[in-house]
Amino acid sequence: MEDIVKGIGLLLEFQNILLILSGVLIGVLVGALPGLSSPMAIALLIPFTISLDPVAAIAMMAALYCAGTFGGSITAILINAPGAPPAVATALDGYPMAKNGEPGRALGLAAVSSVFGGIFSLIIFIFAAPLLAKLALEFGPAEYFGLAVFALSMLASMSGKSSLRNLISGLVGVLIGTIGIHLTTGVERFTFDIPDLEEGIHFVPVLIGLFAVSELFKQSEKLNAVVERIQAKALRLPSLIELKKLKYTILRSSGIGTFIGILPAEGSTVAAIIGYNEARRWSKDKDKFGKGSPEGIVGPEAANNAAAGGAMVPTLALGIPGSGSTALILAALIMHGFRPGPYLISETPEFVYAIFGAMLIANLGFLFIGLVGAKFFSLVAFIPKKLLWPAVFIFSMIGSYSFASSMFDVWVMLAAGLVGYFMDRHGFSAAPLVMGLILGKLVEESFSQSMIIHDNNFFALLESPVVLLFFVLTFLSLSSPFWTRYFSKK
Amino acid sequence: MKNKENASNSLGALLNKSDTIIAIILTLIIAFLWFETTKFEKVPDLFSNNIPPEMFPQILLIIILGMVLIIPFEHIFLKKSGKNIDSSRKNPVEISTIGTMIILTAIIASSQILGAALTIIAVSISLPLYWGERRLKVLISYVVGFPLFVIVLFNVILGVHFEPGLLDLIKN
């Protein structure tokens, strides 16, 4: 309890509250702008938050993450163009409801269910994270290696066209992590006699390139796309009677979202799709789905926001990111000198509770912003792309450069952008690469340490039941496309 | 002759052309990187705890290679689950995208000469113009207003060091 009070105390400084609210505002804005996303905004923000107090920096990013998930639903509902992938399922019923003349009601349902989903997952977070961390304190290098391998295998089921390509992207990320001087031996690896590579490739320019610059190239293909817009005058909160009717859908989706968020590598998009499908499966009015069903809005919205909170559990308790955005928050934590994992919770619990508080404020903040600014945010989506994307590129350049005052990083950003564009064209997702890059050090360190402990006998690792469990889970995760097809045929 | 043709046809159906090219490129990169790992400095076993620096990258390269070799055939499995891997690449890369890539590469290449402020102005002018923005009032206010905002925010308020570049030469 004392830690919770301390954590809230850390947040209650004027500067921190201001930064959290700025994070919410930026989150809703980038969520509402098609093409911009919260991972991209977090990637752009990281270099500028280095000089901030760690609590303020991480709280701002966590707030942006929560709000960005909701922001995506604004454009999904008003212009049928999800501002962020997790809002794809919201568009299925949100847009028809808006077209039927009830855009304010659709936005209100999305906002309230998002807030509920978000707060639900935070309550689970506050109990689950310390428990998970306590368990993880017993982990040795072998167990961590097993966990990291399991997390990498979960990349296969991340959203994207192909599990195989997700896995390749993830492993390429781990491989990029090996560039630079090997910590144990001091040997240079893949540096090609370039001094800038001796310290390895920094996360920041790669993240900015993959998320922002590659998206700029994609957007340059559809600069003149015309979208039909529905004007929302204000957000209309649902009545108590309506909420009563929807309570089971919201609760179910919040549970689903939190659970999926906790699974390593599973993000809000998967949660939203499952939340939508389950809302439809349990609904008494299945025929209304696709035509503006309220359940079709609250189902995915509660799930995707709950997943955002859920994804913070493995990120903070184990140091294993739960989604693309949390992978970036993890990178930011590392840059601020923290070692994400069980020690973060056992040694600095007040810091973790401060992040929890920031996410709570963010959840309430975007409801308020939605209430007063729905009209404004519905207009934001119409900022001309021809002016918006040059601005994104300028922020990307400054962000990459300012991190280490190095032009080399700007080139890395551009190269990552080009590679990211062609990866996407050929079905390789960027998010697994980022997660691989961030997990890379953990995988190699834990692998090396376990091999040393077990006298280079790989099979000796399996003597630990926890490692065995993770390897079984890895096998199940990798073989899931086969057995799910087998069971669905039956 | 007919048998040979049939065999090549069935092989053609098995392999996806674009994915085969990707697999070949990735295999060549993997081969090159493997060759690089053999050039890593040798460290005595005692010093490296029997885990030489090339061991981990080599394990990764082998696993990636194993997966890469499946890529040309993957379209068959994806089709069964209703996914079309070619949908995002059926059209060639747009000229506007290639042009954007060239412009941005050129701007970054010249940024050390131009300096930060002129680079920001160059991006603000060139991209909207290239993408077809012709409203003069909008363009002028953007080219003046946005770089000014960026310079004040990052250079003056946040203290990010901006290389003066050409502006320094002009000043002197």
Side-chain angles (χ1 to χ4, degrees), chain B residues 144-160:
Chain B
V144 175
F146 188 69
L148 200 68
F149 163 74
V150 170
I151 291 164
V152 170
L153 177 68
F154 291 105
N155 191 226
V156 180
I157 300 174
L158 293 175
V160 176

Side-chain angles (χ1 to χ4, degrees), chain A residues 162 165 189 220 387 425 456, chain B residues 19 50 53 74 88 91 142:
Chain A
S162 144
R165 287 165 212 238
R189 300 190 295 187
S220 70
L387 303 180
R425 233 181 114 74
N456 280 331
Chain B
D19 283 343
N50 284 322
E74 201 200 4
S88 57
N91 298 321
Y142 183 71

Side-chain angles (χ1 to χ4, degrees), chain A residues 308-341:
Chain A
M312 289 300 272
V313 175
T315 308
L316 296 174
L318 303 172
I320 302 283
S323 66
S325 295
T326 49
L328 299 170
I329 294 176
L330 196 70
L333 277 167
I334 294 167
M335 275 169 213
H336 277 279
F338 287 97
R339 190 188 165 193

Side-chain angles (χ1 to χ4, degrees), chain A residues 48 145 160-165 167-168 171-172 174-175 178 182 184-192 213 216-224 384-395 397-398 401-402 405 407 410-411 413-414 418 421-422 424-428 440 443-444 447-449 451-452 455-456 482 485, chain B residues 18-19 22 26 32-33 36-37 40-41 43 47-51 53-57 59-61 63-64 67-68 70-71 74 77-78 80-81 83-85 87-89 91-94 96-97 100-101 104-105 108-109 111-112 119-120 123-124 127-128 131-133 135 138 142 146 149-150 153-154 158 160-163:
Chain A
F48 306 113
F145 175 64
K161 275 185 187 163
S162 144
S163 312
L164 180 71
R165 287 165 212 238
L167 283 174
I168 294 176
L171 291 176
V172 168
V174 178
L175 190 67
T178 64
H182 185 219
T184 324
T185 57
V187 169
E188 284 184 24
R189 300 190 295 187
F190 304 122
T191 54
F192 307 103
V213 181
L216 179 150
F217 294 137
K218 266 185 260 170
Q219 294 294 327
S220 70
E221 291 171 350
K222 40 192 173 188
L223 290 165
N224 297 313
K385 285 183 181 177
K386 291 167 187 173
L387 303 180
L388 175 69
W389 285 96
V392 170
F393 186 74
I394 289 168
F395 286 132
M397 269 198 324
I398 297 173
Y401 174 79
S402 64
S405 295
M407 269 315 285
V410 181
W411 281 110
M413 171 207 78
L414 184 69
L418 289 167
Y421 171 78
F422 287 105
D424 184 71
R425 233 181 114 74
H426 295 286
F428 294 86
V443 179
E444 185 172 11
F447 172 73
S448 304
Q449 287 169 355
M451 292 306 277
I452 293 166
D455 231 1
N456 280 331
F482 301 103
R485 200 177 298 158
Chain B
S18 309
D19 283 343
I22 291 170
L26 290 177
F32 168 71
L33 292 177
E36 273 301 311
T37 62
F40 289 169
E41 203 180 311
V43 182
F47 188 43
S48 66
N49 289 309
N50 284 322
I51 301 180
E54 67 273 14
M55 184 179 174
F56 187 69
I59 293 173
L60 284 175
L61 288 171
I63 301 173
I64 296 172
M67 290 178 179
V68 163
I70 308 172
I71 287 182
E74 201 200 4
F77 311 111
L78 291 175
K80 279 184 188 165
S81 46
K83 290 175 185 167
N84 178 11
I85 198 71
S87 62
S88 57
R89 61 186 178 197
N91 298 321
V93 180
E94 299 270 341
S96 61
T97 307
T100 306
M101 288 171 180
L104 295 183
T105 310
I108 291 180
S111 62
Q112 257 169 330
T119 303
I120 293 167
V123 175
S124 314
L127 277 191
W131 287 342
E133 180 59 69
R135 291 169 296 173
V138 174
Y142 183 71
F146 188 69
F149 163 74
V150 170
L153 177 68
F154 291 105
L158 293 175
V160 176
H161 172 69
F162 278 8
E163 290 291 339

